[in-house]
């Protein structure tokens, strides 16, 4: 049986910008099945980040429902949402968001620390994940001692080290050159194919879209196209 990892049903999001309300998402519905690799595509302001944040339980929908792993996020307390984010979801941001004073290893290990994994096991798992992503030499480096591509790989390692069921990536290549973007996307594809991890990435980079199996186009907060590619 195919497992549904994400189900968005009639999702709407309205932001208040001062006294003005902005409808960032309107009536967005789709399912993502286990093992899929989806790119959310649309111009700036079309609602991609808003949607990823809602799928990742970083923000709440104004209307509609989102289920992750068959759990309706609307019904969850803040602490349950925190647990869901920690244990089931990995998030990669455009700006990497690594902790500057921590080494690559410490940045990755930190997530396992939050999960209560003991020191030797979390060290080992963080090392193994960094090595699998080609970062053996960077293990003890801090973010400022690494290139943008290396930092984004560390961010991917941090997002997958806990073996989440869903990896969300918001314009992960926005600050990377073409060569580095290809390498990063190749890595995402391997993660998707080797471990069956479900990936949803927002992008307006055609190179990134080329690696995904399905493309959902947003325009002014609405789904205008949803195709397998
Ligand atoms: P994208 O990621 O596709 O560029 P966003 O989801 O960031 O789109 O934005 C969608 C719309 O929501 C835009 O009109 C944007 O100005 C608005 N928006 C996004 N975040 C906020 C916020 N925190 N407060 C108010 N308006 C927001
Ligand atoms: Mg965005």
């Amino acid at each position: 049986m195919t497992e549904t990892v994400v189900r968005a049903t009639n999702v709407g999001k309205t932001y208040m910008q001062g006294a003005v309300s902005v409808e960032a998402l309107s009536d967005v519905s789709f399912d993502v099945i286990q093992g899929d690799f989806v790119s959310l595509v649309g111009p700036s302001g079309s609602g991609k980040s808003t949607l990823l944040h809602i799928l990742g339980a970083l923000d709440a929908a104004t209307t509609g429902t989102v289920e992750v792993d068959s759990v309706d996020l609307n019904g969850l307390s803040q602490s349950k949402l925190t647990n869901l984010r920690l244990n089931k979801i990995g998030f990669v941001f455009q700006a990497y968001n690594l902790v500057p004073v921590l080494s690559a290893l410490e940045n990755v290990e930190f997530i396992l620390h939050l999960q209560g994994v003991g020191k030797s096991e979390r060290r080992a798992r963080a090392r193994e994940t960094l090595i699998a992503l080609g970062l053996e030499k960077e293990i003890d480096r801090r973010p400022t001692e690494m290139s943008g591509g290396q930092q984004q790989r560390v961010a991917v390692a941090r997002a997958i080290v806990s073996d989440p069921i869903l990896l969300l990536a918001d314009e992960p290549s926005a600050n990377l050159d073409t060569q580095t973007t290809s390498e990063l996307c190749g890595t995402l594809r391997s993660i998707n194919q080797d471990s069956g991890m479900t990936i949803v990435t927002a992008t307006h980079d055609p190179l990134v879209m080329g690696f995904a199996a399905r493309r959902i186009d947003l325009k002014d907060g609405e789904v205008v196209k949803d195709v397998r590619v």
Side-chain angles (χ1 to χ4, degrees):
M1 206 180 84
T2 343
E3 206 184 314
T4 303
V5 174
V6 175
R7 170 162 290 167
T9 312
N10 307 119
V11 169
K13 177 72 180 179
T14 306
Y15 289 112
M16 291 308 294
Q17 292 182 353
V20 184
S21 68
V22 175
E23 200 176 16
L25 294 174
S26 170
D27 209 20
V28 169
S29 298
F30 58 85
D31 285 0
V32 180
I33 54 168
Q34 200 267 318
D36 214 349
F37 188 165
V38 179
S39 63
L40 289 176
V41 176
S44 183
S46 57
K48 304 182 297 294
S49 295
T50 299
L51 182 55
L52 278 188
H53 290 159
I54 291 172
L55 300 183
L58 291 167
D59 199 357
T62 311
T63 54
T65 56
V66 173
E67 287 167 52
V68 173
D69 202 21
S70 303
V71 174
D72 182 350
L73 303 189
N74 281 331
L76 297 185
S77 62
Q78 282 304 325
S79 69
K80 289 233 163 78
L81 287 171
T82 303
N83 277 335
L84 178 108
R85 278 195 298 271
L86 182 60
N87 297 313
K88 295 202 172 163
I89 298 166
F91 216 111
V92 174
F93 301 90
Q94 174 178 332
Y96 324 135
N97 293 12
L98 299 175
V99 181
V101 297
L102 299 183
S103 69
L105 186 71
E106 290 162 341
N107 264 283
V108 176
E109 212 188 314
F110 186 62
I111 298 300
L112 299 175
H113 177 62
L114 292 176
Q115 285 189 319
V117 177
K119 187 155 188 162
S120 60
E121 186 190 335
R122 65 179 193 247
R123 278 263 133 113
R125 279 172 61 186
R127 278 187 71 85
E128 193 183 301
T129 306
L130 285 163
I131 290 168
L133 295 189
L135 291 162
E136 183 157 18
K137 290 201 194 78
E138 284 69 36
I139 279 177
D140 294 316
R141 290 193 190 154
R142 290 186 181 185
T144 48
E145 299 166 321
M146 289 183 265
S147 69
Q150 288 166 342
Q151 290 180 62
Q152 192 58 299
R153 262 163 205 280
V154 175
V156 171
R158 178 180 59 181
I160 66 168
V161 72
S162 56
D163 203 19
I165 59 164
L166 177 63
L167 177 62
L168 301 170
D170 193 1
E171 313 237 12
S173 69
N175 298 312
L176 305 179
D177 63 32
T178 308
Q179 171 70 24
T180 315
T181 298
S182 288
E183 288 165 10
L184 180 77
C185 290
T187 300
L188 292 177
R189 183 160 64 192
S190 305
I191 292 166
N192 172 249
Q193 291 181 347
D194 299 348
S195 68
M197 195 179 290
T198 307
I199 301 180
V200 180
T201 181
T203 190
H204 47 239
D205 185 343
L207 186 55
V208 180
M209 293 169 212
F211 281 83
R214 176 182 173 195
R215 169 174 164 169
I216 298 176
D217 283 54
L218 287 176
K219 184 166 179 264
D220 299 329
E222 294 183 39
V223 174
V224 290
K225 203 162 111 187
D226 183 347
V227 291
R228 297 240 147 242
V229 288

